Structure formats: structure tokens, C-alpha cells
């Protein structure tokens, strides 16, 4: 009401998760609004292992918007950052429209300072833009008191970011409308739905990705007839199948389809002209290893998926983790003393039967896998209450990190 005191400064800190698609998003029908040519489906990973933290501060005293990424000042004028800022502010005005919330109205007129950091190396190529934009939008939404339509806003940062606005199993429905108001993320099942599901991220050594997703998928849209067929025919069928496998917790079906969809995504990259290569010799080695391992056991025990970079993400069930991690350790012996080769959730030791080693571990490649991160499905963005966790001080400048 009219008596509301103007707040001179407001602050909010959130965390947001990484997600891994099992039905891939590749291709836009609108590059400005970030509207995809097909729906996609992902698993949100647990923030205990992988997360972005973002603090947003608005103050009467700030003279300009500013942004820090992992401690270094970055360009706040980036069009996608600006799109997210503009859209959250628009929703805040819409929400407050009619009421006379002086506090929010003045907040909206203040400049903002934003700081964001990942608890994992950006260079590891672990879908940091999805967690980053989901976190930016969550923190801004909290700052301005916005609660709805947030996946549409995160989508304007990075397409895959809209799926990081929910935990568990998430569908990004492509939508039909040209204005994008129906292109949003929905939770298919919560993170508690499939308690045995586990995720192993095989962080491979070396190079950064050659072509970014944004540029790569646009060339694919322009040149790949396979991508067109995939979007029109293959994905709609697979999406329905994948939803069923998830509902039924059918790992055989889930894993096989995840592998096939990753492979088809990379096939559309090869079908792009000039072609794009994200898989390398090591990725192919890991693919072969997974198939040999499954063949040895006579069913699908592990499933790989690869995005626009060489890291492998392996889905499996809890009872398979110890053995498969040992298979990876034997196949890619750690370069150093093996300290910290396995990170994240605990992994027990396993002794491999001789027949398994003979059938699966063919030619070991020392040092090729830097480390394995063991995680599981997790929740969506979280508000951070503990004031000691804010990345910016009351003065709006980055705090000294521990
Ligand atoms: C291969 O979301 O990074 O990871 O929308 O241009 O920011 P932009 O692309 P981005 O693309 C992700 C592509 C993918 C598959 C997926 O996550 O669905």
C-alpha cells in the first residue's frame, strides 16, 4: 500500500541444476524467441554435485547494471541476458499491475548487480548455460516477486535452460504459437519417481567443443534433411515412448531409446553441411564399451548420451554403479595416482569377473577420462536462505570467496 517503505536495496540468491536431454533439442524455428523445431525431454541432475549459484541485487545507489561470472566481470549487455532481465521485469509489472506496490515499483526502476558461479569447472563442458540462465531467471524472479511463466523466460537465455526450471523428468513442449507463449517446460515426474536411477558423468580430457550449439543447430536446420525428418516424424513418436518408459521405470526401454536418440542427434550433425563432429575417438570408444558391457550381461545395464561436446553421460541403476565404474577405471586408467578419479555420490569397490574383463576391457587408454562424477536426478531451482551464501555484499560487489 501507500505506506510501504521504499526499500533501498533488495537481494536474492538461488541455485539451479544442470539437465541432460534423453530426447534431444536440436534446431530452432525462431532464433530470436528460441522456439524449437521439436519437443525434448530431460533429466535434471542433483545440485549436490552440479549447480550454479546466482545472487541478484537491486539498489537505488547503483548507477549501471553489472554482471560477474565465476568472479570475473562479464558483459551485462549480452542480448540473451538482456532478454531475461526484460522479461522478468515485464512479468513483475504485469503481476503488480493494478496494485500499488510501491516497493516493487521502485525496485524495478533500480539498476541490478548479478553474480553467478558454478561449483564445477566451466571448461568441463557440462551444460553450464542451462544451469546459468535457469539460475539467473530464478534469482531475478525472487528479487521482483514473480512466480509464474518462468520457464518461458529461461528459454530466452538458452533453449535447454527452460528444462532446468524443474526437477526430475522434464518435457519442453515445442508449442505452436508464433509468439512462443506455449513453448514451455513441464515436469513429467518428480526426482523421487525413480529412486534407483543414477548418472555417471565421464569428464574427458582435453579440447573445448569446436562449434557452439547455437550456431551448429542453425546450420543443421538449414542443411540437414535428416533433422527435418527427425523433428517431424521421429521425435513425436519417441517422446510418447520415452514418457511411457519413465512412467513404468523401464530401464531397458529408457536406456535403449536414450542411446538411439543421442546417436540420431549426432547423425544429424554428420548430415549437416558442412558436417559438425561432436563425437570423437574417445566417445566412440565409450559407446562401444557400453554396448559390450550390455551384451555381456544380456540386457541394457548402462546407457550413454552425448551433447555438443565429448563428455559422456551414462544412465544406470544403483546396483550397477560399482561394477561399471570399475570397468571405466580399467578401460581408462587414471593418469595420476587415481586420487579423486571418482567424485560425487559414494562408489563402492568391485572385483570384475575375468570373463567380464576379457569381453569388455579391450585396449585400455590411460588418462583419457579425467574423472567420473556420480550423481542422480534432483530437484529444480532452490532459494538460498543463508545470508553467508550470497555472492554479492550489501555494497553490491563480489564478496571474497573462501
Ligand atoms: C545438444 O540450449 O545450448 O545439449 O538454445 O542455442 O542456447 P541454445 O542451445 P542449447 O542447446 C542444447 C543442445 C543439446 C541438446 C539438449 O540439451 O536438448
Amino acid at each position: 500500500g501507500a505506506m510501504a517503505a521504499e526499500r533501498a536495496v533488495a537481494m536474492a540468491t538461488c541455485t539451479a541444476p544442470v539437465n541432460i536431454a534423453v530426447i534431444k533439442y536440436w534446431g530452432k524455428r525462431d532464433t530470436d524467441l528460441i522456439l524449437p523445431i521439436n519437443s525434448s525431454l530431460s533429466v535434471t541432475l542433483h545440485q549436490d554435485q552440479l549447480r550454479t549459484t546466482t545472487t541478484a541485487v537491486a539498489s537505488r545507489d547503483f548507477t549501471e547494471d553489472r554482471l560477474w561470472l565465476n568472479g570475473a566481470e562479464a558483459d551485462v549487455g549480452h542480448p540473451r541476458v538482456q532478454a531475461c532481465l526484460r522479461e522478468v521485469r515485464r512479468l513483475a509489472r504485469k503481476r503488480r499491475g493494478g496494485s500499488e506496490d510501491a516497493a516493487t515499483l521502485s525496485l524495478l526502476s533500480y539498476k541490478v548487480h548479478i553474480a553467478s558461479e558454478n561449483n564445477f569447472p566451466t571448461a568441463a563442458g557440462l551444460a553450464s548455460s542451462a544451469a546459468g540462465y535457469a539460475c539467473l531467471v530464478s534469482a531475478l524472479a525472487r528479487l521482483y516477486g514473480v512466480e509464474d511463466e518462468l520457464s518461458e523466460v529461461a528459454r530466452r537465455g538458452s533453449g535447454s535452460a527452460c528444462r532446468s526450471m524443474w526437477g526430475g523428468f522434464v518435457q519442453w513442449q515445442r508449442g505452436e504459437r508464433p509468439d512462443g507463449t506455449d513453448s514451455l517446460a513441464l515436469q513429467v515426474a518428480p526426482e523421487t519417481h525413480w529412486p534407483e536411477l543414477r548418472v555417471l558423468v565421464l569428464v574427458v580430457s582435453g579440447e573445448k567443443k569446436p562449434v557452439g550449439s547455437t550456431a551448429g543447430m542453425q546450420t543443421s536446420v538449414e542443411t540437414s534433411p535428416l533433422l527435418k525428418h527427425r523433428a517431424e516424424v521421429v521425435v513425436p513418436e519417441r517422446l510418447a515412448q520415452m514418457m511411457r518408459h519413465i512412467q513404468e521405470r523401464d530401464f531397458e526401454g529408457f536406456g535403449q531409446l536414450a542411446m538411439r536418440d543421442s546417436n540420431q542427434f549426432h547423425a544429424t550433425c554428420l548430415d549437416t553441411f558442412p558436417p559438425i563432429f561432436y563425437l570423437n575417438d574417445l566417445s566412440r570408444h565409450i559407446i562401444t564399451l557400453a554396448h559390450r558391457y550390455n551384451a555381456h550381461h544380456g540386457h541394457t545395464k548402462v546407457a550413454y548420451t552425448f551433447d555438443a561436446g565429448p563428455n559422456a553421460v551414462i544412465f544406470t541403476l544403483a546396483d550397477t554403479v560399482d561394477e561399471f565404474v570399475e570397468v571405466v577405471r580399467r578401460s581408462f586408467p587414471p593418469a595420476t595416482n587415481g586420487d579423486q578419479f571418482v567424485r560425487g555420490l559414494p562408489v563402492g569397490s568391485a572385483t570384475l569377473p575375468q570373463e567380464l574383463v576379457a569381453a569388455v576391457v579391450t585396449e585400455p587408454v590411460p588418462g583419457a577420462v579425467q574423472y567420473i562424477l556420480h550423481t542422480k536426478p534432483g530437484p529444480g531451482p532452490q532459494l538460498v536462505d543463508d545470508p553467508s551464501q550470497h555472492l554479492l555484499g550489501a555494497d553490491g560487489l563480489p564478496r571474497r570467496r573462501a
Side-chain angles (χ1 to χ4, degrees):
M3 295 300 288
E6 264 196 36
R7 279 185 296 171
V9 57
M11 183 177 307
T13 299
C14 290
T15 62
V18 165
N19 74 80
I20 299 295
V22 289
I23 300 294
K24 303 289 185 192
Y25 149 54
W26 195 250
K28 298 178 183 70
R29 62 184 201 274
D30 184 316
T31 53
D32 177 42
L33 293 175
I34 311 197
L35 302 179
I37 57 171
N38 60 261
S39 298
S40 54
L41 211 160
S42 58
V43 179
T44 296
L45 304 188
H46 207 288
Q47 293 170 61
D48 282 356
Q49 283 75 45
L50 296 169
R51 69 175 170 275
T52 298
T53 303
T54 301
T55 296
V57 186
S59 168
R60 197 168 49 194
D61 301 332
F62 296 163
T63 54
E64 53 179 352
D65 292 338
R66 292 178 76 181
L67 172 68
W68 290 266
L69 299 178
N70 295 308
E73 185 145 21
D75 177 19
V76 74
H78 191 291
R80 289 177 170 200
V81 171
Q82 286 298 315
C84 291
L85 258 169
R86 191 174 60 241
E87 289 301 301
V88 180
R89 284 170 167 158
R90 183 180 62 78
L91 292 176
R93 286 202 183 84
K94 182 173 112 181
R95 186 179 142 92
R96 303 289 162 169
S99 85
E100 305 144 52
D101 189 335
T104 300
L105 282 178
S106 54
L107 264 190
L108 281 165
S109 70
Y110 299 161
K111 301 292 183 195
V112 288
H113 286 191
I114 299 159
S116 189
E117 50 184 58
N118 300 326
N119 74 336
F120 52 91
T122 311
L126 293 167
S128 57
S129 74
Y133 281 108
C135 207
L136 171 69
V137 170
S138 300
L140 290 172
R142 195 70 200 195
L143 190 70
Y144 297 128
V146 177
E147 279 162 10
D148 300 321
E149 300 171 60
L150 296 180
S151 81
E152 290 105 297
V153 181
R155 193 198 72 224
R156 301 291 301 273
S158 189
S160 55
C162 74
R163 299 184 313 233
S164 278
M165 296 304 283
W166 297 100
F169 302 82
V170 184
Q171 186 192 345
W172 173 14
Q173 57 172 44
R174 74 183 286 284
E176 301 298 327
R177 294 186 208 133
D179 68 359
T181 50
D182 57 351
S183 188
L184 44 88
L186 301 165
Q187 188 178 62
V188 170
E191 61 276 15
T192 49
H193 169 71
W194 200 344
E196 304 81 20
L197 193 63
R198 292 292 181 274
V199 178
L200 298 168
V201 183
L202 275 48
V203 178
V204 311
S205 310
E207 77 233 85
K208 282 198 75 179
K209 65 181 167 185
V211 184
S213 311
T214 306
M217 69 174 75
Q218 208 40 40
T219 314
S220 298
V221 168
E222 284 157 15
T223 63
S224 169
L226 175 58
L227 182 63
K228 187 169 148 60
H229 172 70
R230 166 177 166 76
E232 287 172 3
V233 179
V234 181
V235 168
E237 288 169 10
R238 285 188 174 176
L239 206 70
Q241 283 170 9
M242 192 56 105
M243 301 271 254
R244 233 182 7 255
H245 296 320
I246 291 168
Q247 290 311 338
E248 296 170 1
R249 299 182 199 90
D250 167 8
F251 190 79
E252 187 74 33
F254 173 86
Q256 285 207 16
L257 195 50
M259 290 188 281
R260 284 177 182 274
D261 204 68
S262 172
N263 293 344
Q264 187 174 76
F265 154 51
H266 292 282
T268 67
C269 291
L270 188 58
D271 192 45
T272 297
F273 200 81
I276 305 167
F277 308 102
Y278 291 121
L279 300 180
N280 59 21
D281 285 346
L282 177 56
S283 329
R284 285 185 283 273
H285 191 131
I286 294 166
I287 290 172
T288 306
L289 183 72
H291 284 286
R292 285 203 182 116
Y293 183 76
N294 290 338
H296 177 80
H297 283 288
H299 63 115
T300 302
K301 299 256 289 173
V302 295
Y304 53 80
T305 182
F306 296 84
D307 285 337
N311 292 329
V313 175
I314 305 286
F315 286 99
T316 189
L317 297 175
D319 64 6
T320 305
V321 167
D322 298 354
E323 187 181 77
F324 190 71
V325 164
E326 189 55 26
V327 166
V328 173
R329 200 199 306 271
R330 294 284 289 267
S331 305
F332 308 103
T336 49
N337 59 9
D339 213 34
Q340 289 223 5
F341 184 64
V342 182
R343 307 181 192 186
L345 294 173
V347 174
S349 58
T351 314
L352 304 181
Q354 203 36 59
E355 322 84 76
L356 174 62
V357 176
V360 175
V361 183
T362 45
E363 313 128 65
V365 188
V369 172
Q370 229 183 83
Y371 63 92
I372 305 174
L373 182 72
H374 181 203
T375 185
K376 62 181 184 179
Q382 307 280 313
L383 176 70
V384 177
D385 286 317
D386 177 1
S388 75
Q389 299 299 303
H390 293 314
L391 302 180
L392 296 168
D395 60 355
L397 296 175
R399 294 169 58 181
R400 236 205 299 164
R401 287 186 287 168

